[in-house]
Amino acid sequence: MSTVTTDRADAAVSAPANARERAAEPATRPPTRTGGLRRHWRAAVLGAVVLVWLLTWAALRGSQTLELGGAERTDVHTWLNGLRDSFDAARGTSAVFEYLIQPITNGLNGAVAFLQHLLSQPSAVRPVPEIGWLGVVALLAWATFAAAGVRSMLLVAACVLLFGFFGYWQQSIDTLIVTFVAVAICAVVGLPLGVLTARNRRAASVVTPVLDLMQTLPSFAYLAPLALVFGIGPAAAIVTTIIYSLPPLVRITEHGIRAVSPVTLEAVESMGGTAWQTLLKVQLPMARRTIVVGINQCTMAALSMATIATLINGPGLGGPVLQALQSLDVGSAFVSGLAIVLMAIMLDRTTTAASERSGIEARVQRGTAPTGMRGRRGRKIAVVVGAGVAAVAVYLSRTYLAFAQFPASPDLGAPLAKAVSGATDWTVGTFSGFTNWLREAVTAALVNPLESLLAQSPWWAMALVLLALAFTLGGWRPAAVTVACEAVILGTGLWNESMKTLATTLVATLLVVVAAVAVGVWMGRSRLVDSAIRPVLDAFQTIPPFVYLVPALALFGPTRFTAIVAALAYGVPIATKLVADGIRGVSPVTVEAAESMGTTGWQMVSRVQLPMARAAVVLAANQGLLYVLAMVVVGGLVGGGGLGYLVVSGFSQGQLFGKGLAAGIAITALGVMLDRIAQHAAARYGRV
């Protein structure tokens, strides 16, 4: 982004000289009016499309909308129900299931069950786990100290103890088990794959589109198909988590390997180093810190998906959150959600500290670290002593019941849940006038009109409008993808629900962009403001999306607006940081030149910084759109309606499984379509 803006700044500085040169040339350019028409033809086409769309909607409103009732099913939904039954029947007869799917399922279920009996649940021969709570705390603290240092060790010990004091010891350890198993498999698969794509362009050309698709799909889209193949339970939850969390690890590993200096690689080659030696002794050590960052991102994505996977009977903290949301028990939802937040903070800070430590150790090995960092003998002794302390704690937890079963007191969860419920009731009672007004105002002014326009237009008119927008904004490639995705959505029989989901997504994206531009410009223009707000945005990005539903539900109840609020909180951090970085990347030369001409603050923002940071703003809108779509469909759990609600209904009602699976397919098509349009539009308008 900074390169683009610097180029534009240089062009702006040299503009007077270029203008003088052009004045001396013959007037061979086309007329200014024609040039203006060529530059603005897309805006004219978009205006014409919108005008025709509005006229069609006004004339044919409510006709041919393909609306489907809640319990109604199409032939496709019935066929998908039959497909589920066929999969169930094939589990004992099909060779594919017998020799491929079932071994994977049994292996994953067995691994999770083994770890649960070892750490969190009674085993077959003991009324308590093989390693009690004291041993678990000691082992986790020791492993954290060895990898990340004393501060992270204290943080992990405190958070793990709080899980028990909140009353969610077993569920918390189960969540850690699912997360760690998924991350371990991701590391085994993702690290070699990242190295391969970094060193082999052909492999990268094959793997990259697959990773793009995996990152584009909203998390809900994974659930039903994988439950169909692996059944509900830990195996399906782990596979879902792997698919969701593998792409960041592969991409960041690839980036780390490619970022190694070519000069260093040439020096190794000149010394006769083989490709294998170059990888093991140069590229991997020098990319170690970046790879640990990839593991950090993979871990956070895995935790996020592990909580959502409770919908397919995945073990862990997602279950209590889901039950509390369904019963509108805000207090219990807050406590279990707080446990998830603490776990996210714990994992994020630990892996970040491990990344920083790995960077220091790499400098020590190269001899570039300060002298005080080179003496590591004392730390090694501390690690050995810690291992001994952890072994003693494990022995005590296997011998004494008090150290095996987490104590019932102090109970922090019940009083906290009661206090939160009381505070929520007071807040809602006190500010209900404002919250109701805000909900009704946004719904009436934005959601209802746009939903009526999208969902009440004839399906063929809406399809043509989307196709025209895709071609005008992005070109023929996103238009071709749009045609394919529209065909898929029509095939699922859920066109009307897809348009409702699209309406909610667009409203939430608009609010995200407005908030991101307002706050991002403020941050980009002030280092002090940036230093105050950026840590808050980082913290919001750490929170799994499931948790955002809790405060939104508490304030606004189960409505579509609740899903929009949750999506706003989920999408604003990444979009805001992109805008702030874009504003800060504007050339200081251009800013100084504008200031010397007496430009006011508003003129500086509106006429200099925002136009020159256009690429960052468009990218922020693109990323905000994808984040919003992922959260809007999750909002089906709290009254968001649309496709997300159908996915949830498919899991809770057997006769609607096919409809829920179709909704997942429609979500996938909608996500791919929006991503392709947004990416091509970002590439086009970011460089205009």
Side-chain angles (χ1 to χ4, degrees), residues 179-191:
T179 302
F180 285 151
V181 170
V183 171
I185 296 175
C186 283
V188 172
V189 176
L191 294 179

Side-chain angles (χ1 to χ4, degrees), residues 216-295:
T216 299
L217 303 184
S219 54
F220 259 34
Y222 297 134
L223 300 180
L226 292 175
L228 189 66
V229 176
F230 295 97
I232 61 173
I238 290 176
V239 174
T240 304
T241 304
I242 291 171
I243 294 175
Y244 187 72
S245 54
L246 181 64
L249 178 58
V250 177
R251 290 187 183 280
I252 295 175
T253 300
E254 177 186 3
H255 170 72
I257 296 297
R258 285 185 174 172
V260 176
S261 171
V263 177
T264 304
L265 297 180
E266 290 174 2
V268 174
E269 291 177 0
S270 66
M271 297 173 63
T274 64
W276 189 250
Q277 290 174 328
T278 302
L279 175 64
L280 293 181
K281 296 184 178 181
V282 179
Q283 289 177 306
L284 285 177
M286 296 188 72
R288 178 166 56 182
R289 181 175 182 179
T290 303
I291 292 173
V292 177
V293 172
I295 293 176

Side-chain angles (χ1 to χ4, degrees), residues 188-380:
V188 172
V189 176
L191 294 179
L193 194 59
V195 172
L196 177 63
T197 54
R199 295 166 62 91
N200 189 313
R201 295 290 181 179
R202 291 184 178 179
S205 65
V206 174
V207 173
T208 300
V210 177
L211 297 178
D212 288 341
L213 180 62
M214 293 166 66
Q215 287 191 296
T216 299
L217 303 184
S219 54
F220 259 34
Y222 297 134
L223 300 180
L226 292 175
L228 189 66
V229 176
F230 295 97
I232 61 173
I238 290 176
V239 174
T240 304
T241 304
I242 291 171
I243 294 175
Y244 187 72
S245 54
L246 181 64
L249 178 58
V250 177
R251 290 187 183 280
I252 295 175
T253 300
E254 177 186 3
H255 170 72
I257 296 297
R258 285 185 174 172
V260 176
S261 171
V263 177
T264 304
L265 297 180
E266 290 174 2
V268 174
E269 291 177 0
S270 66
M271 297 173 63
T274 64
W276 189 250
Q277 290 174 328
T278 302
L279 175 64
L280 293 181
K281 296 184 178 181
V282 179
Q283 289 177 306
L284 285 177
M286 296 188 72
R288 178 166 56 182
R289 181 175 182 179
T290 303
I291 292 173
V292 177
V293 172
I295 293 176
N296 168 274
Q297 295 301 304
C298 176
T299 303
M300 301 310 297
L303 175 61
S304 173
M305 193 65 210
T307 55
I308 296 176
T310 187
L311 290 169
I312 51 177
N313 203 29
L317 285 167
V321 175
L322 179 60
Q323 294 174 4
L325 290 175
Q326 291 174 338
S327 61
L328 302 182
D329 185 353
V330 177
S332 298
F334 175 85
V335 176
S336 51
L338 179 60
I340 296 175
V341 172
L342 290 175
M343 187 174 296
I345 293 173
M346 176 185 80
L347 294 176
D348 178 60
R349 295 295 179 266
T350 301
T351 50
T352 300
S355 171
E356 294 171 352
R357 182 171 294 277
S358 67
I360 293 174
E361 291 178 353
R363 293 172 61 194
V364 169
Q365 292 178 1
R366 296 195 299 268
T368 59
T371 305
M373 295 183 180
R374 297 182 181 178
R376 318 303 288 176
R377 183 177 178 183
R379 185 172 181 278
K380 292 181 179 179

Side-chain angles (χ1 to χ4, degrees), residues 510-561:
L510 173 63
L511 297 178
V512 165
V513 172
V514 170
V517 169
V519 180
V521 168
W522 193 22
M523 292 172 59
R525 290 170 56 82
S526 171
R527 291 283 182 181
L528 180 62
V529 173
D530 185 274
S531 62
I533 295 180
R534 191 171 291 266
V536 177
L537 299 179
D538 292 338
F540 269 78
Q541 279 193 280
T542 302
I543 300 173
F546 216 36
V547 180
Y548 286 111
L549 299 176
V550 177
L553 179 67
L555 290 175
F556 300 102
T559 64
R560 290 173 298 170
F561 185 69

Side-chain angles (χ1 to χ4, degrees), residues 7 43 73 100 111 174 196 222 228 273 318 406 411 427 464 477 515:
D7 292 342
R73 292 175 293 172
L100 180 61
D174 285 348
L196 177 63
Y222 297 134
L228 189 66
F406 202 91
D411 179 12
T427 302
L464 290 175
R477 290 184 179 178

Side-chain angles (χ1 to χ4, degrees), residues 71 73 77-78 81 84 649-650 652-660:
R73 292 175 293 172
H77 305 159
T78 304
N81 278 340
R84 174 198 57 188
S649 300
S652 59
Q653 303 177 48
Q655 71 275 16
L656 294 180
F657 177 85
K659 193 171 185 178

